[in-house]
Amino acid sequence: MPRIRFFSPLFLVLILTLSIVHLAHCKTLKRDVKALNEIKASLGWRVVYAWVGDDPCGDGDLPAWSGVTCSTVGDYRVVTELEVYAVSIVGPFPTAVTSLLDLTRLDLHNNKLTGPIPPQIGRLKRLKILNLRWNKLQDAIPPEIGELKSLTHLYLSFNSFKGEIPKELANLPELRYLYLHENRLTGRIPPELGTLQNLRHMDVGNNHLVGTIRELIRIEGCFPALRNLYLNNNYFTGGIPAQLANLTNLEILFLSYNKMSGVIPSSLAHIPKLTYLYLDHNQFSGRIPDAFYKHQFLKEMYIEGNAFRPGVNPIGVHKVLEVSDADFLV
């Protein structure tokens, strides 16, 4: 029979004390200290008034810098989260951030960052959340973002990005939420995005995108987890293909303000949890099948600004759908 070993309370307290002392005396990795101090020196951030001392993870009686989260890895502390938002940061994207190789969250939203996202962003292999919305970032979205294999949330909305959506975003196996709305993106949405097995929310509204839904969903079994699809305020043409009903998890379909035409297929009414269907301000025609009016979950169907036959009625009262960050950020 194996012998059970008991440790005295004094011994356990000693082990715990030694562990705390060890953590307290862990040094922050020089790479991260150098990167954060470069950022502190190069940008006149309003947040730096709280960035006291030279060690961003805290030193002695000095706390960690505001917005900086550190974790212990072996004998060192590393920066794992950087959240500096809504403090009117002005200037180019701080390239030194891309030296923080242990970052899992980078949140610089609601500032005044300008210029491009540097291609070195692809170095942040552990990054899960990248939130750069509400800035003044420009140029093309770098394809190197497709190298961030752990990324689950990508927020690039409300900037001035131009060019095409890089097909490399299809290389992000964990991506769940993709926000690209309110930019100046052009071209077609890469159908390769349909291979993302975990993508739940895709918003590319308010850009200059073209193409058809048929092109977007041409890959068999595409978008298996997609719940919310926002294509509004672009230049999409063509009709709604019956195959769109294969996206059986759809809850929100937002097609307003495009140049789409044709009749509404009855198969769309068979999407089991379809809740919001916005068809307004296109060139749709004909009748809307009765199945939509009998749908168990459909709360709103907005149809204004089309060429439907007389007597076709909307469902519910139209309002702009807004979803808070709290619904998505983890």
Side-chain angles (χ1 to χ4, degrees):
M1 184 174 179
R3 183 179 295 176
I4 300 175
R5 177 176 294 177
F6 293 96
F7 295 103
S8 70
L10 182 62
F11 178 79
L12 294 176
V13 169
L14 178 62
I15 293 296
L16 181 60
T17 303
L18 289 174
S19 299
I20 294 173
V21 169
H22 171 71
L23 293 178
H25 286 84
C26 280
K27 292 186 176 181
T28 304
L29 199 64
K30 288 183 179 180
R31 175 201 69 197
D32 292 2
V33 174
K34 181 174 183 287
L36 264 300
N37 276 282
E38 282 183 16
I39 295 168
K40 180 180 178 181
S42 64
L43 298 179
W45 290 16
R46 281 171 46 192
V47 73
V48 298
Y49 74 89
W51 285 11
V52 180
D54 295 325
D55 191 335
C57 296
D59 187 8
D61 294 332
L62 296 177
W65 291 0
S66 175
V68 176
T69 301
C70 301
S71 300
T72 301
V73 178
D75 293 328
Y76 291 93
R77 293 180 299 184
V78 295
V79 177
T80 54
E81 297 184 9
L82 181 60
E83 300 176 86
V84 186
Y85 51 84
V87 289
S88 298
I89 301 169
V90 178
F93 183 96
T95 304
V97 165
T98 64
S99 294
L100 301 172
L101 302 185
D102 291 286
L103 275 186
T104 60
R105 181 193 294 257
L106 176 58
D107 189 346
L108 303 177
H109 84 268
N110 200 9
N111 284 295
K112 298 178 182 178
L113 295 174
T114 56
I117 299 175
Q120 296 95 316
I121 194 74
R123 301 174 62 196
L124 303 180
K125 306 298 185 186
R126 293 183 172 88
L127 202 62
K128 294 182 179 180
I129 298 174
L130 177 58
N131 190 352
L132 301 176
R133 65 188 180 92
W134 285 107
N135 277 287
K136 298 182 179 182
L137 295 165
Q138 301 164 313
D139 296 343
I141 297 173
E144 287 81 4
I145 288 182
E147 299 172 14
L148 308 178
K149 303 299 184 182
S150 298
L151 203 65
T152 60
H153 297 66
L154 179 58
Y155 297 85
L156 299 180
S157 49
F158 295 98
N159 280 284
S160 297
F161 291 115
K162 59 185 181 181
E164 298 189 352
I165 299 171
K167 66 180 184 299
E168 287 81 3
L169 297 185
N171 298 331
L172 302 173
E174 303 299 325
L175 192 65
R176 298 179 184 179
Y177 301 101
L178 177 60
Y179 284 80
L180 302 177
H181 56 287
E182 295 284 354
N183 280 290
R184 301 174 184 175
L185 299 170
T186 56
R188 289 169 163 75
I189 303 173
E192 291 86 353
L193 295 183
T195 64
L196 293 171
Q197 298 297 303
N198 294 301
L199 188 63
R200 300 176 186 177
H201 184 106
M202 182 168 75
D203 189 345
V204 297
N206 289 91
N207 279 288
H208 305 292
L209 299 168
V210 299
T212 66
I213 292 181
R214 187 176 298 278
E215 294 170 342
L216 177 61
I217 64 170
R218 64 180 173 83
I219 296 177
E220 186 175 356
C222 64
F223 298 108
L226 194 65
R227 298 177 185 174
N228 308 325
L229 178 58
Y230 288 68
L231 303 177
N232 55 290
N233 296 80
N234 281 290
Y235 298 96
F236 290 104
T237 54
I240 298 177
Q243 295 89 331
L244 187 60
N246 293 334
L247 276 60
T248 55
N249 288 307
L250 267 187
E251 297 177 11
I252 299 174
L253 180 59
F254 204 167
L255 304 178
S256 305
Y257 290 93
N258 278 287
K259 297 181 179 298
M260 301 181 67
S261 58
V263 298
I264 308 302
S266 59
S267 62
L268 210 60
H270 298 143
I271 299 177
K273 293 186 179 179
L274 188 63
T275 308
Y276 299 98
L277 176 60
Y278 289 169
L279 306 171
D280 56 288
H281 298 94
N282 280 282
Q283 299 165 18
F284 294 119
S285 57
R287 297 186 182 277
I288 292 180
D290 291 340
F292 285 94
Y293 298 96
K294 299 175 182 178
H295 196 289
Q296 181 180 0
F297 290 99
L298 192 58
K299 293 180 179 179
E300 290 188 17
M301 181 175 66
Y302 204 57
I303 61 174
E304 183 184 14
N306 284 288
F308 291 118
R309 290 186 183 181
V312 173
N313 296 313
I315 296 174
V317 179
H318 177 60
K319 62 178 180 292
V320 177
L321 286 181
E322 291 289 347
V323 188
S324 69
D325 286 349
D327 293 322
F328 300 118
L329 285 175
V330 294

